[in-house]
Amino acid sequence: MSKMAGKFITLEGGDGTGKSTQARLLADFLKQNNIKPLLTREPGGAPGSDEVRELILTGDPDRWDAVGETLLFYASRRNHLRLTVWPALERGEWVISDRFADSTIAYQGYGNQLGVDQVMKVHEVTVGDFEPDLTFILDIDVKAGLSRTQGRDHNEDRFERMEIEFHERMREGFLDIAKQNPERCVVINADQNIDKVQEDMRAILKDRYGFS
Ligand code: TYD
């Protein structure tokens, strides 16, 4: 399962780091380099996964506990991998996913304090040793990130409404993941304008894959 024709690139980080915009711009860059990108996101990105998304992201912050939430994210992730990501990689496409498993480690493992070991038990059953080829971790001060989400007109805000300490723990979680996986992860300063963040990300792709 590990060596597939395409590449799997994930974007991770807290709320309000601008991941979705950056993912779109990255897909444009791949196209310019004659590579077919598949842009997707978690939770979601496959039949079944979108329904689970609705269950997890709406409603009261205490609607699910950390264990229930983790199982739901991984149920959604399993369909995303099985029905969307793995088939695309086998076809030789480059998949860009707005969030993947590092989000569960950071949000549920650190933020909700379930612990990394507990999350990894579910991870092993669901994902095995498959992992992204490259992960960008978009990092920004928690308050600055959350203030960017304020104007958003949506009801999928269950996590944005969690206490500030939750977000601080989650940010630390992402930075720990980056330290523990230096080959796979690159931390990007997200407290810069959109173009500069994208420039930093493209520089990594140029360096790793020889793009122009
Ligand atoms: P989304 O609206 O996609 O937010 P964002 O634009 O910030 O990515 O909602 C995803 C929310 O779900 C976000 O607050 C992070 C959270 N989440 C987890 O807690 N665990 C996970 O495994 C994933 C994938 C997301």
Side-chain angles (χ1 to χ4, degrees):
M1 192 56 82
S2 57
K3 277 295 142 224
M4 297 209 237
K7 299 255 180 253
F8 186 39
I9 299 176
T10 57
L11 273 71
E12 297 279 10
D15 300 81
T17 46
K19 283 183 296 27
S20 313
T21 308
Q22 296 300 337
R24 276 196 300 276
L25 294 170
L26 219 50
D28 292 343
F29 180 64
L30 290 183
K31 279 188 219 148
Q32 286 162 26
N33 281 275
N34 300 316
I35 291 200
K36 187 170 179 193
L38 181 98
L39 190 54
T40 184
R41 70 166 179 184
E42 286 203 354
S49 306
D50 292 303
E51 284 96 319
V52 179
R53 176 184 177 91
E54 164 88 19
L55 277 177
I56 316 175
L57 297 186
T58 61
D60 290 341
D62 61 0
R63 182 180 190 190
W64 305 104
D65 72 356
V67 174
E69 208 165 79
T70 299
L71 294 171
L72 286 169
F73 276 118
Y74 272 99
S76 160
R77 179 159 304 134
R78 181 71 195 177
N79 267 22
H80 187 221
L81 286 171
R82 191 170 63 87
L83 303 174
T84 303
V85 176
W86 286 337
L89 292 176
E90 270 161 17
R91 291 193 301 268
E93 292 172 23
W94 287 43
V95 179
I96 300 174
S97 186
D98 181 354
R99 296 194 183 281
F100 184 60
D102 295 325
S103 280
T104 321
I105 297 184
Y107 278 76
Q108 283 65 50
Y110 284 77
N112 280 341
Q113 297 176 302
L114 180 60
V116 177
D117 292 350
Q118 294 293 88
V119 177
M120 285 312 289
K121 287 182 191 163
V122 187
H123 183 95
E124 274 152 28
V125 177
T126 317
V127 181
D129 58 9
F130 172 77
E131 62 173 13
D133 294 280
L134 174 63
T135 297
F136 289 109
I137 294 185
L138 274 59
D139 181 58
I140 193 168
D141 171 79
V142 166
K143 287 198 179 123
L146 286 176
S147 74
R148 289 190 189 177
T149 66
Q150 293 309 306
R152 285 188 192 172
D153 179 24
H154 66 64
N155 67 344
E156 292 182 337
D157 62 351
R158 210 176 130 249
F159 286 95
E160 288 160 31
R161 293 193 283 119
M162 302 242 175
E163 52 178 11
I164 192 93
E165 291 78 12
F166 169 93
H167 292 272
E168 297 284 3
R169 287 194 297 272
M170 178 263 285
R171 182 185 185 199
E172 276 314 303
F174 278 122
L175 295 175
D176 280 354
I177 291 168
K179 264 189 229 129
Q180 287 154 17
N181 299 274
E183 301 280 299
R184 173 171 70 84
C185 298
V186 179
V187 178
I188 301 283
N189 174 13
D191 197 6
Q192 313 182 85
N193 69 43
I194 291 174
D195 292 347
K196 182 66 177 74
V197 172
Q198 181 63 201
E199 194 184 310
D200 288 358
M201 292 168 67
R202 290 184 181 189
I204 303 291
L205 288 182
K206 287 177 188 167
D207 189 46
R208 291 209 180 191
Y209 303 115
F211 294 147
S212 51

